[in-house]
Amino acid sequence: MTEMNENPLDLLPEVLLAASAVLGLLLGAWLPRRRQWLVGALAIGVCGAGIVAAALAATEPVTTAFGESFAVDPVTATARIVILGGTLLVLALSVGPLRADPRETEFYVLLQLAAAGALLLAGAQDLLLLAAAYLLASVPAYALAGFRKDGPGTEAALKFYVVGALLGVVMLTGITVLLAAGRATSYPMLRTELAEAPAGLVAVGTLAVLAGVLFKAGGVPGHFWVPDAVQGSSAPVAAFLTTIPKIGALAAFYRLAAVPLADADLPWADLVAVLSVASMTLGNLAAFFQQDVKRLLAYSTISQVGYLLLPVAVTGRSDLDQEALLYYLAGYALTNLGAFAVVCALPGADAIDDYRGLARTHPALLASLVVCLLGLVGTPPTAVFLGKLEAFSAAFDGGYAWLVVVAAVNTVASLFYYLRWIAPAFLARGRAGDSPTTSGTAAVIAYGAATASIVLGLLGGTVLDALGGPLAG
């Protein structure tokens, strides 16, 4: 019988988050409504403790936990820090607006459970754990999308759930097919077995599994839920949905490409390249004439998946793939959350025209918005600029020069719709310009995220060096 490593400390950040969710639910049943914020404070504290635990675990040798089903390596470590840091920011954005809400505790619990699912996605090294992580990351997110119980929120939750349930079944079917083809669910074992399995069976299973992963990432073909779910959700939930699950899903995608599919006789890299082009192009074209700012950011996040798939497409073909993906994920998380923090700071500004006059009344907020939106384009010295540069370099190094050209054209095209949002802020007075910032916390987070994006970009060389290292298994 194979010896199994069942040390719970290997999953300390995940255990802390799950324990906080359970404890928070119990506390919420006893605390008076005016004290429910303590559950949110507990969640923020646990996210901070989880970041420390993840950073300490990153200094240890690469290992696996629970029979090689969970990997503790640089990909997991980076995803943990980024996911927990992003969740902490979303919690900070939520505490003020949710103060004394009848379901305040439930919100914090759902947020932590969905984040725990994203953490498990990032470290999953077994198809069964991947399926469990998919469900844990999805089910609480459906409830978060419809948390406000209004018309748009209900529609958002329904569309999100329908697409998620469909692609979840497709993913489980794919796992079953790969189990039949490879006679195992562990990634290291599948790497050996899939190389000798019937190519048609492996192709069908792989396509089905990747469909589920791309649903969580918000990329083509699993992107249909993104614009409606983001527009119908509250701004903090929209920030969470477009950032946190994407990090776990893309880390899971990279691990699938690097381990079980590495030796499979399939043109999976070409497929990922096609999906990359489809995601960035569709996202950009759909965002061109959007007026609602959350819907614009929703299509923007679809296009960002396309750029993030560049290093995944050349997994194993370039020495830059892992560092490029992980750094880009960190830069994207900071920049995207910063843009949504501005939206949270101006809750009455739903459309682009509502930002007229922002330069006069809230110049610091506008500066943060400009840094974040131009950062998403890939403007130096922001972190996304270096992330895109590394992703382009990895794709070119891996033999996909044509993909780099397409990505560069899409990057230039994306500048149009970001400038459509920025330009009115310098024009005549408008509704957003006349209304004060109602959330000082959201404004501070916007300033901090924009600054951190620049700092991360300036420290890019040092950070990139820390993101290398072998995968577990």
Side-chain angles (χ1 to χ4, degrees):
M1 186 174 181
T2 305
E3 183 180 353
M4 182 176 289
N5 175 13
E6 297 184 354
N7 183 7
L9 292 179
D10 289 332
L11 275 75
L12 185 57
E14 292 79 12
V15 170
L16 285 173
L17 205 58
S20 174
V22 174
L23 180 59
L25 193 60
L26 294 174
L27 285 175
W30 295 96
L31 289 171
R33 184 175 298 176
R34 66 182 184 278
R35 303 283 187 185
Q36 303 263 320
W37 63 269
L38 290 171
V39 179
L42 172 65
I44 290 174
V46 164
C47 285
I51 292 172
V52 174
L56 293 175
T59 63
E60 301 294 327
V62 170
T63 186
T64 57
F66 294 87
E68 297 188 343
S69 63
F70 190 87
V72 183
D73 55 23
V75 173
T76 305
T78 305
R80 280 171 164 174
I81 293 172
V82 177
I83 289 171
L84 289 169
T87 304
L88 193 154
L89 292 181
V90 174
L91 284 166
L93 288 172
S94 306
V95 169
L98 280 173
R99 181 67 60 86
D101 187 280
R103 295 176 294 132
E104 184 176 0
T105 290
E106 288 87 336
F107 182 90
Y108 301 137
V109 170
L110 290 169
L111 203 65
Q112 290 176 90
L113 291 175
L119 290 175
L120 290 176
L121 277 173
Q125 198 171 230
D126 188 285
L127 291 177
L128 296 180
L129 181 58
L130 182 69
Y134 174 93
L135 292 173
L136 182 57
S138 298
V139 175
Y142 303 150
L144 286 171
F147 194 79
R148 293 190 300 186
K149 290 187 175 181
D150 55 6
T154 302
E155 181 182 358
L158 181 60
K159 291 182 177 179
F160 193 9
Y161 167 74
V162 169
V163 177
L166 172 62
L167 293 181
V169 172
V170 171
M171 182 180 184
L172 290 173
T173 304
I175 290 173
T176 305
V177 172
L178 289 180
L179 173 60
R183 295 169 294 178
T185 56
S186 172
Y187 287 6
M189 295 180 66
L190 283 172
R191 179 171 189 170
T192 302
E193 297 294 334
L194 292 183
E196 302 174 358
L201 205 59
V202 177
V204 171
T206 300
L207 287 173
V209 171
L210 293 185
V213 174
L214 283 168
F215 162 75
K216 293 311 303 172
V220 174
H223 67 285
F224 296 102
W225 63 274
V226 178
D228 292 318
V230 170
Q231 185 179 16
S233 304
S234 63
V237 172
F240 182 88
L241 294 179
T242 57
T243 309
I244 307 305
K246 189 185 305 297
I247 297 162
L250 288 167
F253 202 155
Y254 178 80
R255 198 180 298 279
L256 282 166
V259 185
L261 299 179
D263 299 326
D265 187 20
L266 292 174
W268 62 263
D270 293 334
L271 171 64
V272 176
V274 171
L275 292 173
S276 171
V277 171
S279 295
M280 67 177 77
T281 305
L282 185 147
N284 283 334
L285 291 177
F288 275 168
F289 303 106
Q290 295 298 325
Q291 293 298 321
D292 186 280
V293 293
K294 287 195 292 183
R295 198 171 183 88
L296 185 150
L297 286 173
Y299 282 113
S300 167
T301 197
I302 295 173
S303 71
Q304 291 294 326
V305 176
Y307 307 123
L308 285 160
L309 285 178
L310 264 67
V312 177
V314 295
T315 302
R317 303 186 182 192
S318 170
D319 295 333
L320 303 173
D321 54 357
Q322 180 174 307
E323 293 89 339
L325 175 65
L326 297 179
Y327 183 86
Y328 197 162
L329 283 173
Y332 167 76
L334 270 175
T335 311
N336 190 61
L337 288 173
F340 271 103
V342 175
V343 176
C344 292
L346 297 168
D350 298 322
I352 288 175
D353 285 343
D354 295 336
Y355 283 74
R356 288 180 179 273
L358 195 64
R360 183 180 62 81
T361 55
H362 301 106
L365 263 183
L366 176 60
S368 300
L369 183 65
V370 169
V371 168
C372 291
L373 293 185
L374 294 184
L376 289 173
V377 176
T379 306
T382 60
V384 174
F385 164 72
L386 185 55
K388 276 192 176 181
L389 185 62
E390 288 292 311
F392 289 2
S393 300
F396 186 85
D397 188 45
Y400 280 88
W402 66 269
L403 183 57
V404 175
V405 173
V406 174
V409 171
N410 270 281
T411 296
V412 174
S414 68
L415 183 62
F416 170 74
Y417 58 84
Y418 290 123
L419 289 178
R420 283 186 61 245
W421 186 352
I422 295 172
F426 293 96
L427 301 179
R429 186 185 312 175
R431 205 165 65 208
D434 291 337
S435 61
T437 301
T438 58
S439 175
T441 301
V444 170
I445 292 172
Y447 307 150
T451 303
S453 177
I454 294 175
V455 171
L456 182 60
L458 295 175
L459 299 177
T462 304
V463 176
L464 283 167
D465 291 339
L467 299 178
L471 295 181

